[in-house]
Short mmCIF file of all heavy atoms in Angstrom, two decimals:
data_model
loop_
_atom_site.label_atom_id
_atom_site.label_comp_id
_atom_site.label_asym_id
_atom_site.label_seq_id
_atom_site.Cartn_x
_atom_site.Cartn_y
_atom_site.Cartn_z
N SER G 38 182.34 27.26 106.31
CA SER G 38 183.49 27.47 105.46
C SER G 38 183.53 26.56 104.29
O SER G 38 182.85 25.46 104.34
CB SER G 38 184.77 27.25 106.31
OG SER G 38 184.95 25.86 106.58
N PRO G 39 184.16 26.84 103.19
CA PRO G 39 184.19 26.02 102.00
C PRO G 39 184.69 24.62 102.25
O PRO G 39 184.26 23.71 101.56
CB PRO G 39 185.10 26.77 101.04
CG PRO G 39 185.02 28.17 101.45
CD PRO G 39 184.88 28.16 102.92
N VAL G 40 185.65 24.44 103.22
CA VAL G 40 186.14 23.11 103.41
C VAL G 40 185.34 22.37 104.58
O VAL G 40 185.65 21.21 104.88
CB VAL G 40 187.69 23.15 103.78
CG1 VAL G 40 188.46 23.59 102.53
CG2 VAL G 40 187.92 23.99 104.96
N GLY G 41 184.45 23.06 105.26
CA GLY G 41 183.58 22.53 106.24
C GLY G 41 184.18 22.38 107.63
O GLY G 41 183.68 21.75 108.50
N ASP G 42 185.32 23.05 107.84
CA ASP G 42 186.00 22.89 109.20
C ASP G 42 185.55 23.86 110.23
O ASP G 42 185.77 23.79 111.39
CB ASP G 42 187.49 22.96 109.04
CG ASP G 42 188.05 24.26 108.48
OD1 ASP G 42 187.29 24.94 107.75
OD2 ASP G 42 189.19 24.60 108.71
N ARG G 43 184.93 25.05 109.78
CA ARG G 43 184.46 26.01 110.71
C ARG G 43 183.16 26.61 110.15
O ARG G 43 182.84 26.53 108.97
CB ARG G 43 185.48 27.23 110.83
CG ARG G 43 186.79 26.65 111.22
CD ARG G 43 187.55 27.32 112.38
NE ARG G 43 187.00 28.04 113.43
CZ ARG G 43 187.02 27.62 114.71
NH1 ARG G 43 187.41 26.37 115.01
NH2 ARG G 43 186.53 28.33 115.66
N ILE G 44 182.40 27.25 111.11
CA ILE G 44 181.17 27.92 110.78
C ILE G 44 181.33 29.37 111.28
O ILE G 44 181.69 29.54 112.42
CB ILE G 44 179.94 27.25 111.43
CG1 ILE G 44 179.81 25.82 110.93
CG2 ILE G 44 178.70 28.04 111.26
CD1 ILE G 44 178.89 24.92 111.76
N VAL G 45 181.11 30.33 110.44
CA VAL G 45 181.11 31.70 110.88
C VAL G 45 179.71 32.14 111.26
O VAL G 45 178.72 31.67 110.62
CB VAL G 45 181.70 32.64 109.77
CG1 VAL G 45 180.94 32.74 108.54
CG2 VAL G 45 182.12 34.05 110.32
N PHE G 46 179.52 32.94 112.23
CA PHE G 46 178.20 33.47 112.62
C PHE G 46 178.35 34.83 113.34
O PHE G 46 179.42 35.23 113.74
CB PHE G 46 177.48 32.44 113.50
CG PHE G 46 178.05 32.08 114.83
CD1 PHE G 46 177.61 32.71 115.98
CD2 PHE G 46 179.22 31.31 114.98
CE1 PHE G 46 178.20 32.42 117.25
CE2 PHE G 46 179.76 31.05 116.20
CZ PHE G 46 179.29 31.57 117.33
N ALA G 47 177.19 35.39 113.50
CA ALA G 47 177.10 36.68 114.35
C ALA G 47 176.45 36.34 115.68
O ALA G 47 175.55 35.50 115.72
CB ALA G 47 176.37 37.74 113.59
N SER G 48 176.86 37.05 116.77
CA SER G 48 176.28 36.85 118.07
C SER G 48 176.34 38.16 118.87
O SER G 48 177.36 38.91 118.74
CB SER G 48 176.98 35.77 118.77
OG SER G 48 176.46 35.57 120.06
N ASP G 49 175.36 38.34 119.70
CA ASP G 49 175.37 39.45 120.68
C ASP G 49 175.64 38.98 122.06
O ASP G 49 175.28 39.59 123.00
CB ASP G 49 174.08 40.31 120.59
CG ASP G 49 172.86 39.54 121.11
OD1 ASP G 49 172.92 38.33 121.39
OD2 ASP G 49 171.83 40.11 121.25
N ARG G 50 176.40 37.92 122.23
CA ARG G 50 176.71 37.37 123.50
C ARG G 50 177.54 38.34 124.33
O ARG G 50 177.59 38.14 125.63
CB ARG G 50 177.43 36.00 123.35
CG ARG G 50 178.66 36.06 122.50
CD ARG G 50 179.30 34.69 122.28
NE ARG G 50 178.47 33.78 121.61
CZ ARG G 50 178.57 32.48 121.62
NH1 ARG G 50 179.50 31.96 122.29
NH2 ARG G 50 177.71 31.75 120.96
N THR G 51 178.17 39.37 123.76
CA THR G 51 178.85 40.40 124.50
C THR G 51 178.04 41.71 124.56
O THR G 51 178.58 42.75 124.83
CB THR G 51 180.23 40.69 123.89
OG1 THR G 51 180.06 41.21 122.55
CG2 THR G 51 181.09 39.44 123.95
N SER G 52 176.76 41.64 124.24
CA SER G 52 175.82 42.74 124.20
C SER G 52 175.94 43.59 122.92
O SER G 52 175.31 44.61 122.85
CB SER G 52 175.77 43.53 125.49
OG SER G 52 176.92 44.39 125.60
N ASP G 53 176.83 43.27 122.09
CA ASP G 53 177.01 44.02 120.79
C ASP G 53 177.33 42.91 119.82
O ASP G 53 178.15 42.08 120.00
CB ASP G 53 178.18 45.00 120.94
CG ASP G 53 178.45 45.73 119.61
OD1 ASP G 53 177.56 45.95 118.79
OD2 ASP G 53 179.69 46.02 119.39
N PHE G 54 176.55 42.94 118.64
CA PHE G 54 176.81 41.89 117.63
C PHE G 54 178.22 41.87 117.16
O PHE G 54 178.74 42.90 116.72
CB PHE G 54 175.84 41.98 116.50
CG PHE G 54 174.52 41.31 116.77
CD1 PHE G 54 173.52 42.05 117.21
CD2 PHE G 54 174.39 39.89 116.63
CE1 PHE G 54 172.21 41.47 117.51
CE2 PHE G 54 173.19 39.33 116.96
CZ PHE G 54 172.07 40.06 117.33
N GLU G 55 178.90 40.75 117.22
CA GLU G 55 180.24 40.49 116.78
C GLU G 55 180.32 39.28 115.83
O GLU G 55 179.36 38.52 115.88
CB GLU G 55 181.37 40.40 117.90
CG GLU G 55 181.31 41.57 118.85
CD GLU G 55 181.97 42.85 118.27
OE1 GLU G 55 182.52 42.80 117.14
OE2 GLU G 55 181.92 43.93 119.00
N ILE G 56 181.41 39.06 115.16
CA ILE G 56 181.56 37.89 114.31
C ILE G 56 182.40 36.82 115.01
O ILE G 56 183.44 37.18 115.64
CB ILE G 56 182.21 38.28 113.00
CG1 ILE G 56 181.48 39.40 112.22
CG2 ILE G 56 182.31 37.04 112.01
CD1 ILE G 56 180.08 39.10 111.89
N TYR G 57 182.01 35.60 114.95
CA TYR G 57 182.64 34.45 115.64
C TYR G 57 182.75 33.33 114.66
O TYR G 57 182.09 33.27 113.62
CB TYR G 57 181.74 33.96 116.77
CG TYR G 57 181.55 34.93 117.92
CD1 TYR G 57 180.62 35.92 117.80
CD2 TYR G 57 182.32 34.74 119.06
CE1 TYR G 57 180.50 36.83 118.84
CE2 TYR G 57 182.14 35.67 120.14
CZ TYR G 57 181.22 36.68 119.99
OH TYR G 57 181.05 37.54 121.09
N THR G 58 183.61 32.35 114.98
CA THR G 58 183.67 31.07 114.27
C THR G 58 183.59 29.97 115.35
O THR G 58 183.93 30.24 116.52
CB THR G 58 184.91 30.85 113.37
OG1 THR G 58 186.11 30.86 114.19
CG2 THR G 58 184.98 31.82 112.26
N ILE G 59 183.11 28.84 114.83
CA ILE G 59 182.99 27.60 115.77
C ILE G 59 183.24 26.41 114.89
O ILE G 59 183.01 26.36 113.73
CB ILE G 59 181.58 27.71 116.35
CG1 ILE G 59 181.44 26.60 117.50
CG2 ILE G 59 180.51 27.42 115.29
CD1 ILE G 59 180.11 26.74 118.25
N ARG G 60 183.78 25.35 115.53
CA ARG G 60 183.89 24.08 114.83
C ARG G 60 182.48 23.48 114.73
O ARG G 60 181.61 23.71 115.50
CB ARG G 60 184.75 23.10 115.64
CG ARG G 60 186.25 23.47 115.50
CD ARG G 60 187.11 22.37 116.02
NE ARG G 60 186.56 21.60 117.15
CZ ARG G 60 187.09 21.59 118.40
NH1 ARG G 60 188.20 22.25 118.67
NH2 ARG G 60 186.52 20.92 119.34
N PRO G 61 182.28 22.63 113.69
CA PRO G 61 180.98 21.90 113.48
C PRO G 61 180.59 21.02 114.65
O PRO G 61 179.43 20.68 114.68
CB PRO G 61 181.20 21.10 112.27
CG PRO G 61 182.28 21.81 111.47
CD PRO G 61 183.21 22.29 112.56
N ASP G 62 181.48 20.72 115.56
CA ASP G 62 181.07 19.94 116.79
C ASP G 62 180.68 20.84 117.94
O ASP G 62 180.43 20.33 119.05
CB ASP G 62 182.22 18.92 117.17
CG ASP G 62 183.50 19.66 117.60
OD1 ASP G 62 183.53 20.95 117.76
OD2 ASP G 62 184.43 18.93 117.87
N GLY G 63 180.72 22.19 117.76
CA GLY G 63 180.35 23.13 118.75
C GLY G 63 181.57 23.64 119.67
O GLY G 63 181.38 24.39 120.50
N GLY G 64 182.74 23.09 119.37
CA GLY G 64 183.89 23.54 120.15
C GLY G 64 184.66 24.66 119.55
O GLY G 64 184.44 25.07 118.42
N ASP G 65 185.62 25.17 120.27
CA ASP G 65 186.61 26.23 119.83
C ASP G 65 185.92 27.39 119.26
O ASP G 65 186.19 27.80 118.11
CB ASP G 65 187.52 25.56 118.83
CG ASP G 65 188.73 26.45 118.55
OD1 ASP G 65 189.10 27.25 119.43
OD2 ASP G 65 189.25 26.39 117.44
N VAL G 66 185.05 28.10 120.06
CA VAL G 66 184.45 29.29 119.61
C VAL G 66 185.49 30.43 119.67
O VAL G 66 186.17 30.64 120.67
CB VAL G 66 183.27 29.68 120.55
CG1 VAL G 66 182.63 31.10 120.13
CG2 VAL G 66 182.12 28.64 120.47
N ARG G 67 185.57 31.18 118.57
CA ARG G 67 186.61 32.24 118.52
C ARG G 67 185.87 33.57 118.06
O ARG G 67 185.17 33.57 117.11
CB ARG G 67 187.64 31.92 117.42
CG ARG G 67 188.42 30.70 117.72
CD ARG G 67 189.38 30.46 116.53
NE ARG G 67 190.03 29.17 116.74
CZ ARG G 67 190.76 28.57 115.77
NH1 ARG G 67 190.97 29.16 114.59
NH2 ARG G 67 191.27 27.37 115.98
N GLN G 68 186.07 34.62 118.82
CA GLN G 68 185.56 35.92 118.48
C GLN G 68 186.61 36.61 117.65
O GLN G 68 187.64 36.82 117.90
CB GLN G 68 185.31 36.74 119.76
CG GLN G 68 184.71 38.07 119.48
CD GLN G 68 184.37 38.87 120.76
OE1 GLN G 68 184.40 38.42 121.83
NE2 GLN G 68 184.00 40.21 120.59
#
Side-chain angles (χ1 to χ4, degrees):
S38 70
V40 296
D42 62 333
R43 305 226 29 108
I44 298 165
V45 67
F46 66 100
S48 178
D49 68 349
R50 57 185 62 203
T51 61
S52 74
D53 178 28
F54 276 98
E55 302 289 352
I56 306 296
Y57 296 80
T58 61
I59 190 171
R60 285 194 324 245
D62 66 3
D65 193 26
V66 176
R67 299 177 189 170
Q68 184 175 348

